[in-house]
Amino acid sequence: EAGVAQSPRYKIIEKRQSVAFWCNPISGHATLYWYQQILGQGPKLLIQFQNNGVVDDSQLPKDRFSAERLKGVDSTLKIQPAKLEDSAVYLCASSLEQGGTLETQYFGPGTRLLVL
Amino acid sequence: ELKVEQNPLFLSMQEGKNYTIYCNYSTTSDRLYWYRQDPGKSLESLFVLLSNGAVKQEGRLMASLDTKARLSTLHITAAVHDLSATYFCAVDIGNQFYFGTGTSLTVIP
C-alpha cells in the first residue's frame, strides 16, 4: 500500500515570497491533516479536512496560510507571504475516517521549508 | 490551555537497560497514540491506546494508558541501539491530535 506522498521534499525561499506544498493521502482515506513541526518540537495541527470540507483550521494563520482539498483527495498548503518563523517541516497525514475506533494517522515524509 | 508534556525530554541510556518515558496531559481523553521519529524522517505509528488500562507491547516497547491520571507510559526493556529516535505521544481531543514535546532517546552501545 502506497503511503502519504508529499512534494517538494525541500524548499528554500526568501521572506515575503510564496510557497506551496502538495500532499496525496493514502487511497481511500477521508481525513487529511496538515501539521507544522518546528525544529525540536512536536507537530502542531494547522488544518484538518474531512473529504473536501474543513473540520478545523483554528490554528491556521489565515492571514498568510491557506489550504484546499479539491475533490476530497489531494491537498495543497500555501504560504503567502512567508516569514522567517515559518521555517519548519510541514507534515501531511491521513486517516481512514474521523473518529473511528482505530484512527491512527499515517504521516508523509514532510516538506522541509527554510525561509531566509 | 491544553498541555501535553513528556519527560524526560532527553534520555541517554546504555544498551540492555530499562527505562520509562512519561506522557502527561491536562484534559480528559481516552485516546492516546505513540509515534517514533528518526532524524530527518517522518513519524511512524507505534501504539494506539483507546481505553483506560490499555496496554500494548511490541518487541522491547510497552505502552500503557491511565486515563484517570491522564498519564501514559512508554517502557523500554533491554534497550538496543536501534531504538534511538525521538518518541512522541499524541492525545486525541475531539478527534484532533495534540502532540507532546517529544523525548529524544539515545541508546549507547
Side-chain angles (χ1 to χ4, degrees), chain A residues 30-32 34 45-60 62 66-70 75 98, chain B residues 96:
Chain A
T31 309
L32 185 147
W34 282 103
L45 180 68
L46 293 175
I47 189 167
Q48 178 180 343
F49 292 94
Q50 176 77 3
N51 296 310
N52 60 351
V54 175
V55 173
D56 188 329
D57 62 357
S58 57
Q59 298 192 86
L60 187 73
K62 298 180 186 64
S66 64
E68 60 181 9
R69 190 184 184 197
L70 299 176
S75 177
Q98 184 184 15
Chain B
Q96 295 176 28

Side-chain angles (χ1 to χ4, degrees), chain B residues 63-100:
Chain B
S64 65
L65 178 61
D66 182 343
T67 58
K68 294 179 181 178
R70 299 178 184 173
L71 171 68
S72 180
T73 61
L74 180 66
H75 186 73
I76 303 155
T77 301
V80 293
H81 180 67
D82 287 351
L83 291 180
S84 297
T86 299
Y87 293 85
F88 290 96
C89 63
V91 178
D92 185 338
I93 306 290
N95 298 319
Q96 295 176 28
F97 277 24
Y98 294 88
F99 281 82

Side-chain angles (χ1 to χ4, degrees), chain A residues 104-108, chain B residues 33-38 41-47 58 85-88 99:
Chain A
T104 298
Q105 294 185 17
Y106 297 88
F107 284 80
Chain B
Y33 303 76
W34 283 96
Y35 285 85
R36 167 182 172 146
Q37 187 174 38
D38 291 292
K41 305 289 186 182
S42 193
L43 284 85
E44 173 191 353
S45 176
L46 293 175
F47 298 109
E58 180 73 31
T86 299
Y87 293 85
F88 290 96
F99 281 82

Side-chain angles (χ1 to χ4, degrees), chain B residues 8-19:
Chain B
L9 297 182
F10 298 94
L11 175 57
S12 180
M13 56 190 298
Q14 287 189 317
E15 280 190 332
K17 299 293 186 181
N18 305 331
Y19 207 83

Side-chain angles (χ1 to χ4, degrees), chain B residues 51 57 92:
Chain B
S51 61
Q57 183 166 5
D92 185 338

